[in-house]
Amino acid sequence: MKIHEFQGKEIFRRYGIPVPDGEIATTPDEAQKIAEKLGGKLVVKAQIHAGGRGKGSLTKAAEIHGVKVVTEAKDARAHAQALLGNALHTHQTGPEGQVVRRVLIERATDIAKEYYVGLVLDRETARVTFIASTEGGMEIEKVAAEMPEKILRLGVDPATGVQAFHGRKLAYGLGFTGDTANKAAKLLAKLYQVFIDTDASLVEINPLVLTKSGDVIALDAKVNFDDNAMTRHPELLALRDVEEEDTRERAAKDAELSYVALDGNIGCLVNGAGLAMSTMDIIKYVGGEPANFLDVGGGATAAQVTTAFKIILQDPKVKAILVNIFGGIAKCDVIASGIITAAKEVGLKMPLIVRLEGTNVELGKKLLGESGLSITPANDMLDAAKKAVKAAGGGK
Ligand code: GDP
Ligand code: MN
């Protein structure tokens, strides 16, 4: 689960991680009031669940960016007015952009140097791991690709948790010295505590800055939580902003389906995560590209299958649909009725390839055959994948 920068900064504040003073505004009037209250040089920052806002710009006005330094309250108001209600386009939003519903008005910082620090779970070492770089403000993926030597990594043993030496090692590694090294080291230890306490999957400060007056502060905040841990954090779940979520992923979540949108053109509807993974593999094996991962679950109902179908069809990239079902707990006839209902409801026109196997398979096939729908049956997974790739107009 993602949250906004201002929410991440509120968490940082509670842990004693220095962040600039600031408040959130939803109207130009509020922006002006906050700006007058804070006074001096300010930054107006669009709040969307995507990075790259500084370089990003309004879809309808390329000269208006998502982060702007201003010197007067009236300019803060004007920039808030320009952003609010309009779509901001960044390299992370997709071509249609994301509508700005809130802006953060902050006291501006005089930057001496920008750094990158982040925490992720390294699955290879099974440790929460610090990533740090002197190349702050840049995308870390780009730094990793172009200057891997500029990236420091440091895993933390879960048995000891974060220790003073972790912070020092990273701070000195980044070139901090003396008092600022102490400040950076302390900040890093607190950041680790945020990660652990909130069951985060990612905590990132880009940029962490050294100010001209010698302070070390978090100028940006990106915090993602592990969805599977949200049941034990009702206070964090309250930070969810459904308006920022992908409409298809949200509909899937609400129907208790696991859905992940991908870049290909073959929509997949599968029961069971393992089968869904191997379906994507076999599509790739025969030269195609899946449009999504979609697991309707072992005990799928006809209603869930209908929802799943609608979600797949909302994706304009989809050129063919592959249904791959192994009827165990979910019986083939139940899935077949779901497919028929959904296909009729949405007036399905694109190629539909179905591979059914397992409990009540004959009944399922009979229902599909008598449905009047144009369905391409497949004998097995490989056959299904080949037919789907061909129907979608690609493949080897
Ligand atoms: P992002 O582009 O979405 O990652 O947004 P950031 O919060 O990281 O801001 C982008 C860039 O704006 C930063 O890398 C800074 O260079 C600049 N910026 C943000 N806040 C300030 C500030 O208070 N003062 C100055 N001078 N620059 C800032
Ligand atoms: Mn940033």
Side-chain angles (χ1 to χ4, degrees):
M1 188 183 107
K2 294 182 183 174
I3 59 172
H4 288 288
E5 173 194 9
F6 76 95
Q7 296 168 320
K9 283 180 168 169
E10 274 164 24
I11 297 174
F12 285 1
R13 232 178 241 123
R14 286 207 294 279
Y15 279 78
I17 295 173
V19 294
D21 289 332
E23 283 180 45
I24 203 79
T26 54
T27 66
D29 278 348
E30 277 174 17
Q32 178 153 4
K33 281 207 191 89
I34 296 165
E36 283 165 358
K37 193 164 82 182
L38 291 170
K41 206 163 88 169
L42 302 163
V43 200
V44 180
K45 306 184 80 175
Q47 300 295 291
I48 55 170
H49 281 190
R53 296 160 301 162
K55 292 200 184 71
S57 56
L58 291 187
T59 314
K60 65 170 192 184
E63 70 284 4
I64 298 180
H65 298 284
V67 177
K68 188 177 170 70
V69 178
V70 297
T71 48
E72 311 257 347
K74 68 170 178 24
D75 297 332
R77 180 201 176 86
H79 199 67
Q81 178 136 33
L83 291 174
L84 287 166
N86 289 312
L88 183 67
H89 171 93
T90 82
H91 70 279
Q92 290 186 359
T93 58
E96 62 292 339
Q98 245 158 277
V99 175
V100 181
R101 297 185 177 85
R102 297 178 193 80
V103 290
L104 175 62
I105 314 292
E106 269 186 355
R107 200 163 267 152
T109 305
D110 279 328
I111 302 173
K113 177 148 179 52
E114 302 191 14
Y115 301 84
Y116 173 97
V117 297
L119 279 160
V120 290
L121 179 68
D122 181 341
R123 288 165 199 283
E124 234 163 85
T125 57
R127 287 185 176 190
V128 174
T129 301
F130 282 102
I131 313 279
S133 173
T134 51
E135 305 308 297
M138 266 180 82
E139 277 168 70
I140 196 67
E141 292 82 1
K142 206 166 165 205
V143 181
E146 292 169 10
M147 319 174 246
E149 74 285 357
K150 298 260 173 151
I151 293 190
L152 306 175
R153 300 175 65 96
L154 187 60
V156 178
D157 187 330
T160 64
V162 74
Q163 303 285 306
F165 82 85
H166 290 116
R168 281 198 298 269
K169 196 165 176 182
L170 290 162
Y172 291 127
L174 289 172
F176 285 101
T177 54
D179 193 33
T180 57
N182 266 331
K183 286 176 182 168
K186 288 207 175 97
L187 181 149
L188 289 164
K190 288 169 183 164
L191 198 64
Y192 178 85
Q193 218 48 55
V194 169
F195 187 99
I196 297 297
D197 292 353
T198 61
D199 285 313
S201 54
L202 172 74
V203 174
E204 190 181 79
I205 304 177
N206 190 20
L208 172 79
V209 302
L210 172 64
T211 69
K212 291 198 172 138
S213 51
D215 288 315
V216 180
I217 67 174
L219 219 56
D220 193 3
K222 181 169 174 180
V223 182
N224 295 350
F225 305 121
D226 181 344
D227 285 337
N228 297 313
M230 283 300 97
T231 50
R232 54 188 204 189
H233 297 290
E235 77 293 354
L236 298 178
L237 201 53
L239 302 176
R240 183 175 170 200
D241 182 351
V242 291
E243 282 180 314
E244 291 288 319
E245 293 175 14
D246 178 279
T247 48
R248 281 175 267 139
E249 289 188 9
R250 192 198 327 163
K253 207 186 259 180
D254 292 344
E256 293 178 21
L257 304 167
S258 350
Y259 172 88
V260 181
L262 301 167
D263 295 330
N265 59 6
I266 299 172
C268 304
L269 191 156
V270 189
N271 68 335
L275 191 60
M277 297 289 274
S278 35
T279 304
M280 299 193 316
D281 280 350
I282 207 161
I283 287 172
K284 288 213 167 222
Y285 179 71
V286 295
E289 289 291 337
N292 63 275
F293 168 95
L294 197 161
D295 169 18
V296 295
T301 62
Q304 276 179 312
V305 174
T306 309
T307 308
F309 237 94
K310 287 184 182 163
I311 291 169
I312 292 176
L313 286 168
Q314 276 169 30
D315 180 350
K317 296 190 302 298
V318 171
K319 297 283 178 286
I321 298 178
L322 196 171
V323 175
N324 187 9
I325 299 294
F326 186 81
I329 302 167
K331 298 179 179 66
C332 290
D333 55 317
V334 172
I335 302 278
S337 327
I339 296 170
I340 294 162
T341 312
K344 287 189 173 157
E345 245 181 83
V346 300
L348 183 74
K349 291 196 186 63
M350 73 178 65
L352 175 61
I353 297 91
V354 179
R355 178 255 178 173
L356 283 179
E357 203 54 79
T359 313
N360 293 0
V361 61
E362 292 313 323
L363 184 54
K365 282 185 176 163
K366 184 160 171 278
L367 288 172
L368 289 176
E370 290 168 355
S371 67
L373 295 166
S374 132
I375 292 173
T376 310
N379 304 323
D380 55 40
M381 272 177 70
L382 186 59
D383 183 40
K386 281 181 182 160
K387 284 175 172 159
V389 172
K390 185 152 178 264
K396 312 183 204 184

